[in-house]
Amino acid sequence: LEQEGRRSTVRLGSSGPATMMPSDTDVSWWPDTGWVDLRRSDLPAPLWLKENPNNHYWFEYLPHSRIVYLQFNKVGNKEDESLADFSQRLLTFLDTADVRRLALDLRLNRGGNGSLNRPLLLSLIKARKLDRPGSLFVLIGRSTFSAAQFLVNELEQYTDAVFVGEPSAGKANHYSDSRRITLPNSGITVRVSTLWWQEDPRDTRQWKAPQVAAELGTTEYRNNVDPALQAVQAYQPEPPVAEQMTRALETGSISDAVRRYRAFRADPRHRYAETEEQLNGLGYSLLAQKRLDQAIEIFKLAVAEYPRSSNAYDSLGEAYMLAGQRDLAVANYRKSLVLDPKNANARAKLEQLGR
């Protein structure tokens, strides 16, 4: 272990307490295992580590920022309070306190009984003070999956929540409800999923990406800094990137619009931003206005950003076809079909073009 130019020796093990030399190194300890915790012990713990993760759900009001921080660690009832009762208590507090924002933290939530999500979801929908963009935030990350992913899906569908943090660890449609199996010879225990949960067969995303990226690195963890909660506190609404590009087109050229897009993508907060639908919509808006050359440039940008998207090539093919550039239209429709052989529109267009 090297720290601040010094070399230290650490012995790790579960049979007894770890030792370290020199003794002045400012690290925390996990007393139950003897493992070293990188976090500094001389700084207060961040909210997301304030409670034991086995505490299924709790919330705290931050008066200086008028934010309610709600940590939801397991989709299940507690012995002394059901999730439904907790959700009602939360709603009562939201309706009576001076609340500006709510941060729902799902970063430690690995699931549970997905049928219990509904009361919490309804409380968040009913809360009048959260019924505006930029008031409800959902913190997601590498341990958000299973029944927690179900809640993410529902919040995405039924609210204007802003998702912050890192990509979730689950897909919208996924296998779940695992059962434990002990292998007879090795004695190794494995878990096998028994059910396939599908909410929308068209949703093939590998995860739910955050709209505001706020990743937890080693430096942040060591210094008890929570980038996700900081992002919530600092959040300022901004127009969608397609709207920003439209404004650039109104006052400048297509090059200005593309530069506006590049600047948006270069912002670390937008690392995981999904922009394909926005680019596609902007391109078709330009097609409707007979601004074919500009539409083609927007669709070319979409293809460059999403080279595995059949729809992006399909849209570019249509723009080329309307512009009378048949060879380029054919090339893009063929590429679309390679990526998605079931694309009936691309096949029909190729027949129309005599190819």
Side-chain angles (χ1 to χ4, degrees):
L1 174 67
E2 293 188 8
Q3 180 189 25
E4 300 175 354
R6 295 172 299 166
R7 175 168 294 182
S8 304
T9 301
V10 181
R11 185 176 73 249
L12 302 176
S14 59
S15 59
T19 60
M20 172 172 285
M21 295 187 304
S23 60
D24 61 346
T25 306
D26 58 342
V27 297
S28 304
W29 298 91
W30 293 350
D32 294 340
T33 62
W35 284 93
V36 177
D37 188 343
L38 182 66
R39 289 196 302 116
R40 291 178 56 177
S41 59
D42 60 328
L43 296 174
L47 269 176
W48 74 279
L49 293 175
K50 178 180 177 181
E51 292 279 333
N52 188 312
N54 292 325
N55 187 355
H56 295 356
Y57 34 81
W58 58 277
F59 70 85
E60 180 173 323
Y61 180 60
L62 309 179
H64 61 285
S65 56
R66 291 178 291 170
I67 292 176
V68 170
Y69 173 81
L70 193 172
Q71 190 172 66
F72 187 24
N73 293 329
K74 183 177 181 179
V75 187
N77 292 318
K78 295 199 289 189
E79 291 184 3
D80 58 345
E81 184 180 37
S82 69
L83 183 54
D85 289 342
F86 171 81
S87 301
Q88 183 58 52
R89 179 162 63 89
L90 171 69
L91 179 59
T92 300
F93 183 85
L94 293 174
D95 285 344
T96 56
D98 182 15
V99 176
R100 183 169 63 96
R101 293 175 175 175
L102 183 143
L104 170 60
D105 194 344
L106 301 177
R107 288 176 292 177
L108 299 179
N109 195 321
R110 300 183 178 185
N113 183 350
S115 65
L116 299 178
N117 278 325
R118 186 175 178 83
L120 180 58
L121 174 67
L122 292 178
S123 289
L124 297 175
I125 292 174
K126 291 177 181 178
R128 295 187 299 273
K129 294 174 183 176
L130 302 182
D131 189 21
R132 60 182 184 276
S135 59
L136 174 60
F137 297 82
V138 182
L139 280 52
I140 56 176
R142 61 195 80 173
S143 289
T144 307
F145 58 88
S146 193
Q149 182 68 48
F150 295 156
L151 182 58
V152 166
N153 299 345
E154 292 164 337
L155 288 165
E156 182 179 29
Q157 183 175 358
Y158 297 115
T159 74
D160 290 322
V162 177
F163 290 84
V164 178
E166 302 171 334
S168 67
K171 303 178 183 179
N173 307 306
H174 57 266
Y175 290 98
S176 187
D177 292 72
S178 65
R179 296 291 182 268
R180 186 173 64 182
I181 299 175
T182 301
L183 301 180
N185 295 324
S186 65
I188 295 174
T189 298
V190 298
R191 299 192 72 92
V192 179
S193 296
T194 61
L195 291 177
W196 167 251
W197 292 87
Q198 178 171 281
E199 298 197 3
D200 185 347
R202 299 166 298 179
D203 193 339
T204 59
R205 291 176 296 174
Q206 296 299 302
W207 53 39
K208 165 60 184 173
Q211 292 145 282
V212 179
E215 297 180 297
L216 181 68
T218 302
T219 300
E220 292 79 14
Y221 179 79
R222 170 163 173 72
N223 292 299
N224 289 312
V225 172
D226 185 352
L229 188 56
Q230 285 185 337
V232 171
Q233 294 168 329
Y235 179 80
Q236 295 292 332
E238 62 178 338
V241 66
E243 184 177 328
Q244 297 179 41
M245 296 173 72
T246 299
R247 292 177 182 176
L249 284 171
E250 292 171 352
T251 58
S253 65
I254 187 66
S255 297
D256 294 319
V258 173
R259 278 195 291 271
R260 177 62 261 173
Y261 179 83
R262 297 296 185 199
F264 175 89
R265 294 296 295 179
D267 189 327
R269 296 174 302 166
H270 303 146
R271 176 178 178 182
Y272 299 102
E274 298 284 355
T275 60
E276 182 181 2
E277 287 189 11
Q278 292 192 61
L279 291 175
N280 198 61
L282 176 57
Y284 274 104
S285 175
L286 293 170
L287 283 183
Q289 299 171 51
K290 309 300 183 184
R291 297 158 69 176
L292 301 183
D293 290 343
Q294 291 184 343
I296 287 173
E297 292 304 314
I298 295 300
F299 288 134
K300 286 168 63 177
L301 177 60
V303 164
E305 290 287 284
Y306 298 94
R308 303 300 301 168
S309 169
S310 171
N311 187 66
Y313 284 97
D314 186 285
S315 298
L316 181 56
E318 181 174 350
Y320 277 131
M321 186 176 71
L322 292 174
Q325 301 184 53
R326 294 171 62 88
D327 290 344
L328 288 172
V330 168
N332 281 279
Y333 277 129
R334 284 177 173 170
K335 180 64 175 179
S336 179
L337 269 180
V338 169
L339 293 170
D340 180 11
K342 297 180 180 179
N343 187 344
N345 180 69
R347 196 174 301 279
K349 294 297 184 183
L350 285 172
E351 291 178 3
Q352 182 180 335
L353 291 165
R355 303 296 180 89

